[in-house]
PDB file of all heavy atoms in Angstrom:
ATOM      1  N   ILE A 218     135.662 128.128 171.803  1.00 89.00           N
ATOM      2  CA  ILE A 218     134.613 128.966 172.393  1.00 89.00           C
ATOM      3  C   ILE A 218     133.231 128.454 171.986  1.00 89.00           C
ATOM      4  O   ILE A 218     132.280 128.490 172.777  1.00 89.00           O
ATOM      5  CB  ILE A 218     134.809 130.453 171.993  1.00 89.00           C
ATOM      6  CG1 ILE A 218     134.063 131.369 172.973  1.00 89.00           C
ATOM      7  CG2 ILE A 218     134.395 130.718 170.581  1.00 89.00           C
ATOM      8  CD1 ILE A 218     134.679 131.476 174.313  1.00 89.00           C
ATOM      9  N   ARG A 219     133.098 127.961 170.743  1.00 90.00           N
ATOM     10  CA  ARG A 219     131.819 127.390 170.309  1.00 90.00           C
ATOM     11  C   ARG A 219     131.486 126.141 171.126  1.00 90.00           C
ATOM     12  O   ARG A 219     130.356 125.962 171.596  1.00 90.00           O
ATOM     13  CB  ARG A 219     131.884 127.055 168.824  1.00 90.00           C
ATOM     14  CG  ARG A 219     130.585 126.463 168.279  1.00 90.00           C
ATOM     15  CD  ARG A 219     130.684 126.157 166.805  1.00 90.00           C
ATOM     16  NE  ARG A 219     131.707 125.146 166.527  1.00 90.00           N
ATOM     17  CZ  ARG A 219     132.836 125.388 165.885  1.00 90.00           C
ATOM     18  NH1 ARG A 219     133.104 126.622 165.439  1.00 90.00           N
ATOM     19  NH2 ARG A 219     133.703 124.424 165.668  1.00 90.00           N
ATOM     20  N   ASN A 220     132.481 125.275 171.295  1.00 91.00           N
ATOM     21  CA  ASN A 220     132.252 124.066 172.090  1.00 91.00           C
ATOM     22  C   ASN A 220     131.924 124.398 173.540  1.00 91.00           C
ATOM     23  O   ASN A 220     131.117 123.716 174.173  1.00 91.00           O
ATOM     24  CB  ASN A 220     133.493 123.166 172.038  1.00 91.00           C
ATOM     25  CG  ASN A 220     133.602 122.400 170.735  1.00 91.00           C
ATOM     26  OD1 ASN A 220     132.671 122.411 169.928  1.00 91.00           O
ATOM     27  ND2 ASN A 220     134.718 121.735 170.528  1.00 91.00           N
ATOM     28  N   LEU A 221     132.554 125.449 174.061  1.00 92.00           N
ATOM     29  CA  LEU A 221     132.294 125.827 175.442  1.00 92.00           C
ATOM     30  C   LEU A 221     130.836 126.231 175.640  1.00 92.00           C
ATOM     31  O   LEU A 221     130.205 125.825 176.624  1.00 92.00           O
ATOM     32  CB  LEU A 221     133.217 126.973 175.866  1.00 92.00           C
ATOM     33  CG  LEU A 221     133.033 127.468 177.310  1.00 92.00           C
ATOM     34  CD1 LEU A 221     133.305 126.351 178.302  1.00 92.00           C
ATOM     35  CD2 LEU A 221     133.937 128.668 177.582  1.00 92.00           C
ATOM     36  N   PHE A 222     130.281 126.986 174.722  1.00 93.00           N
ATOM     37  CA  PHE A 222     128.880 127.388 174.844  1.00 93.00           C
ATOM     38  C   PHE A 222     127.952 126.180 174.715  1.00 93.00           C
ATOM     39  O   PHE A 222     126.930 126.101 175.404  1.00 93.00           O
ATOM     40  CB  PHE A 222     128.530 128.449 173.806  1.00 93.00           C
ATOM     41  CG  PHE A 222     129.001 129.822 174.182  1.00 93.00           C
ATOM     42  CD1 PHE A 222     130.000 130.451 173.457  1.00 93.00           C
ATOM     43  CD2 PHE A 222     128.453 130.486 175.269  1.00 93.00           C
ATOM     44  CE1 PHE A 222     130.454 131.719 173.813  1.00 93.00           C
ATOM     45  CE2 PHE A 222     128.888 131.756 175.629  1.00 93.00           C
ATOM     46  CZ  PHE A 222     129.887 132.374 174.901  1.00 93.00           C
ATOM     47  N   ILE A 223     128.296 125.230 173.860  1.00 92.00           N
ATOM     48  CA  ILE A 223     127.503 123.995 173.749  1.00 92.00           C
ATOM     49  C   ILE A 223     127.558 123.220 175.062  1.00 92.00           C
ATOM     50  O   ILE A 223     126.536 122.732 175.573  1.00 92.00           O
ATOM     51  CB  ILE A 223     128.026 123.123 172.585  1.00 92.00           C
ATOM     52  CG1 ILE A 223     127.784 123.817 171.246  1.00 92.00           C
ATOM     53  CG2 ILE A 223     127.366 121.749 172.610  1.00 92.00           C
ATOM     54  CD1 ILE A 223     128.411 123.112 170.064  1.00 92.00           C
ATOM     55  N   ILE A 224     128.754 123.114 175.631  1.00 91.00           N
ATOM     56  CA  ILE A 224     128.934 122.392 176.887  1.00 91.00           C
ATOM     57  C   ILE A 224     128.161 123.059 178.014  1.00 91.00           C
ATOM     58  O   ILE A 224     127.488 122.395 178.806  1.00 91.00           O
ATOM     59  CB  ILE A 224     130.440 122.303 177.228  1.00 91.00           C
ATOM     60  CG1 ILE A 224     131.141 121.364 176.239  1.00 91.00           C
ATOM     61  CG2 ILE A 224     130.642 121.827 178.659  1.00 91.00           C
ATOM     62  CD1 ILE A 224     132.651 121.446 176.290  1.00 91.00           C
ATOM     63  N   ILE A 225     128.231 124.383 178.084  1.00 89.00           N
ATOM     64  CA  ILE A 225     127.512 125.108 179.138  1.00 89.00           C
ATOM     65  C   ILE A 225     126.004 124.884 179.020  1.00 89.00           C
ATOM     66  O   ILE A 225     125.312 124.626 180.009  1.00 89.00           O
ATOM     67  CB  ILE A 225     127.833 126.615 179.063  1.00 89.00           C
ATOM     68  CG1 ILE A 225     129.289 126.870 179.462  1.00 89.00           C
ATOM     69  CG2 ILE A 225     126.896 127.413 179.959  1.00 89.00           C
ATOM     70  CD1 ILE A 225     129.736 128.300 179.245  1.00 89.00           C
ATOM     71  N   LEU A 226     125.496 124.965 177.798  1.00 90.00           N
ATOM     72  CA  LEU A 226     124.061 124.792 177.571  1.00 90.00           C
ATOM     73  C   LEU A 226     123.596 123.431 178.063  1.00 90.00           C
ATOM     74  O   LEU A 226     122.650 123.331 178.858  1.00 90.00           O
ATOM     75  CB  LEU A 226     123.748 124.962 176.083  1.00 90.00           C
ATOM     76  CG  LEU A 226     122.308 124.649 175.656  1.00 90.00           C
ATOM     77  CD1 LEU A 226     121.331 125.597 176.340  1.00 90.00           C
ATOM     78  CD2 LEU A 226     122.174 124.719 174.144  1.00 90.00           C
ATOM     79  N   PHE A 227     124.246 122.369 177.602  1.00 88.00           N
ATOM     80  CA  PHE A 227     123.790 121.018 177.960  1.00 88.00           C
ATOM     81  C   PHE A 227     124.135 120.665 179.397  1.00 88.00           C
ATOM     82  O   PHE A 227     123.419 119.871 180.025  1.00 88.00           O
ATOM     83  CB  PHE A 227     124.397 119.992 176.980  1.00 88.00           C
ATOM     84  CG  PHE A 227     123.721 119.982 175.645  1.00 88.00           C
ATOM     85  CD1 PHE A 227     124.217 120.715 174.584  1.00 88.00           C
ATOM     86  CD2 PHE A 227     122.566 119.252 175.457  1.00 88.00           C
ATOM     87  CE1 PHE A 227     123.592 120.710 173.346  1.00 88.00           C
ATOM     88  CE2 PHE A 227     121.919 119.236 174.226  1.00 88.00           C
ATOM     89  CZ  PHE A 227     122.444 119.985 173.166  1.00 88.00           C
ATOM     90  N   THR A 228     125.203 121.245 179.931  1.00 84.00           N
ATOM     91  CA  THR A 228     125.543 121.005 181.336  1.00 84.00           C
ATOM     92  C   THR A 228     124.451 121.519 182.254  1.00 84.00           C
ATOM     93  O   THR A 228     124.024 120.841 183.190  1.00 84.00           O
ATOM     94  CB  THR A 228     126.882 121.668 181.687  1.00 84.00           C
ATOM     95  OG1 THR A 228     127.940 121.039 180.963  1.00 84.00           O
ATOM     96  CG2 THR A 228     127.168 121.541 183.186  1.00 84.00           C
TER      97      THR A 228
END
Side-chain angles (χ1 to χ4, degrees):
I218 200 72
R219 180 179 63 248
N220 283 351
L221 180 61
F222 281 113
I223 294 173
I224 291 167
I225 291 173
L226 173 62
F227 283 95
T228 294

